[in-house]
Amino acid sequence: MRKFKAVLQPGCQPLVHRVVGYADIANDWAPDLRFLVRVGSAEEREGVERLQNTGLTNIFWAEDAALEDGDVAVPNPHQEEVVVLFRESDTHHSLFMTNRCNSYCLMCSQPPTAADDSWLVEEAIDAVRHLRKSPDVLGLTGGEPLLLGVGLRRVLDAVAVHHPSTRVEVLTNGRLFANSKIASQILEDLTVSVKWLIPLYGHADFVHDFVVQTPGAFDETLAGLLLLQMHRQEIQLRVVLIEPVLQVLPELAGFVGRNLPFVREIALMGCEPIGFALANRDLCEVDLSEWASTLELSARVLRRHDIPHLLMNAPLCALPQRLWPVAHRSISDWKNVYAQECESCAVKSDCAGLFAWHEKGWKPAPLKTIEESEVVS
């Protein structure tokens, strides 16, 4: 989600719109959708207004060079801005579902609030309707999407109807799946393909519950994972690499291999230096290069148990070269930047880079420009 300043036509509604270029209005127009027409001149503004005068009530113009055709956006005329919910040209696509959560993780990048934001369900369903093209993968994030209950299922069903080829990834702590009623509401007769992205931060309750700052969360998470397996759902475990987690990472890898062999994969993730992580910097700021032996040992344990694994949100220079083959370019487009040291790096095209706000927080390791001669084939 990103915001752009824009000149908006008076009377424009703060509802979901598909962004379209002026020349493409006729090709894109549909009576059951709303359109925000990018204009670049007075003639184009007048052209949109002439169409409105013929009875087209579902189009408005916006003057903003930052908007792109295919964006799904909500104009905010009172603030003279447009909020882009979905950018077609991005590599990673997601919709924000709620800011409420039932965990309070030490490193949460989106600190939860208690306000009722259930209206975001309707916005997400409307956004799904307005997508011009079906993305290969669509993420649903929060907050904790399971708190929406039937609302989450309605969004999943909307994807199934409008974009049946799209695979969905739901980022959730999975705890509410321990409640059989909620699990049934969301999972029974589900037709869309879903991967559930669920964090697990330790091999025992005292570690996981401390990281998420919620007593009983470890047991609820395991119950949720087992229920997802019963429903034959695909699961990716997510492990954010902060100090309390790194201290037990090999043990966690062994626990997953012995007790959760059904998970599709496990993602080891660099910490995003924002939100609660800044308040808990002493626990969340780590130099990943100093934990190279721990990462390699954990990877060996996972290979021994035949658990696929990947590394996310960490630049290659922070990781031992033996782990580069499982490192992914995973930072969302609008968050992703590269530092000066990266410009002439031989592996930049394969590297995840950095979070855009690393200068206000921290880098995951001292950055290094890697020369071609240093890359082991």
Side-chain angles (χ1 to χ4, degrees), residues 278-357:
L278 297 177
N280 297 299
R281 191 164 182 160
D282 57 329
L283 295 172
C284 298
E285 181 180 8
V286 296
D287 178 347
L288 287 178
S289 63
E290 295 180 353
W291 294 86
S293 60
T294 296
L295 294 173
E296 290 186 290
L297 173 58
S298 302
R300 287 198 298 273
V301 173
L302 291 170
R303 286 196 298 270
R304 187 165 67 243
H305 288 284
D306 202 26
I307 300 290
H309 54 284
L310 58 149
L311 281 152
M312 301 173 64
N313 301 356
L316 294 178
C317 61
L319 304 171
Q321 283 202 36
R322 280 188 288 269
L323 296 183
W324 285 6
V326 296
H328 287 236
R329 296 188 63 178
S330 53
I331 299 175
S332 298
D333 305 74
W334 65 279
K335 300 179 179 181
N336 195 200
V337 298
Y338 293 86
Q340 184 177 352
E341 294 91 334
C342 307
E343 293 309 308
S344 60
C345 183
V347 295
K348 179 183 175 184
S349 61
D350 298 318
C351 182
L354 301 162
F355 286 102
W357 29 83

Side-chain angles (χ1 to χ4, degrees), residues 102-242:
N102 54 347
S103 294
Y104 298 90
C105 301
L106 293 172
M107 63 294 181
C108 179
S109 62
Q110 185 77 39
T113 57
D116 180 6
D117 55 10
S118 55
W119 58 269
L120 286 169
V121 169
E122 304 304 326
E123 182 179 86
I125 292 171
D126 214 7
V128 167
R129 289 196 315 113
H130 280 78
L131 299 185
R132 182 171 66 172
K133 297 179 181 178
S134 296
D136 292 334
V137 179
L138 178 64
L140 302 179
T141 72
E144 176 45 60
L146 293 187
L147 289 171
L148 301 170
V150 175
L152 174 59
R153 176 57 185 265
R154 291 179 57 221
V155 177
L156 293 173
D157 287 344
V159 175
V161 170
H162 296 284
H163 306 281
S165 64
T166 294
R167 293 177 290 115
V168 178
E169 293 184 345
V170 181
L171 181 57
T172 168
N173 60 41
R175 291 170 49 202
L176 289 175
F177 277 139
N179 182 315
S180 59
K181 180 180 178 181
I182 293 175
S184 178
Q185 287 176 339
I186 295 172
L187 298 175
E188 288 294 335
D189 302 318
L190 189 63
T191 58
V192 68
S193 174
V194 181
K195 181 190 289 185
W196 302 90
L197 315 180
I198 297 180
L200 189 64
Y201 297 126
H203 63 301
D205 56 2
F206 68 88
V207 182
H208 182 85
D209 290 1
F210 171 69
V211 173
V212 304
Q213 294 288 287
T214 310
F218 181 75
D219 290 340
E220 290 177 344
T221 300
L222 292 183
L225 291 169
L226 293 173
L227 188 137
L228 284 170
Q229 164 63 2
M230 185 176 71
H231 283 266
R232 299 293 187 265
Q233 293 292 303
E234 187 176 357
I235 301 166
Q236 180 194 83
L237 291 182
R238 296 201 145 191
V239 182
V240 179
L241 300 173
I242 63 173

Side-chain angles (χ1 to χ4, degrees), residues 358-377:
H358 70 276
E359 293 293 356
K360 295 181 179 179
W362 61 82
K363 300 179 180 69
L367 300 181
K368 175 187 176 185
T369 301
I370 297 171
E371 304 293 337
E372 193 70 46
S373 60
E374 298 178 75
V375 180
V376 178
S377 302

Side-chain angles (χ1 to χ4, degrees), residues 239-267:
V239 182
V240 179
L241 300 173
I242 63 173
E243 186 175 346
V245 177
L246 283 161
Q247 288 175 348
V248 299
L249 190 60
E251 289 82 3
L252 173 57
F255 177 87
V256 172
R258 291 188 303 273
N259 299 288
L260 305 170
F262 51 82
V263 300
R264 171 65 183 84
E265 62 195 1
I266 184 167

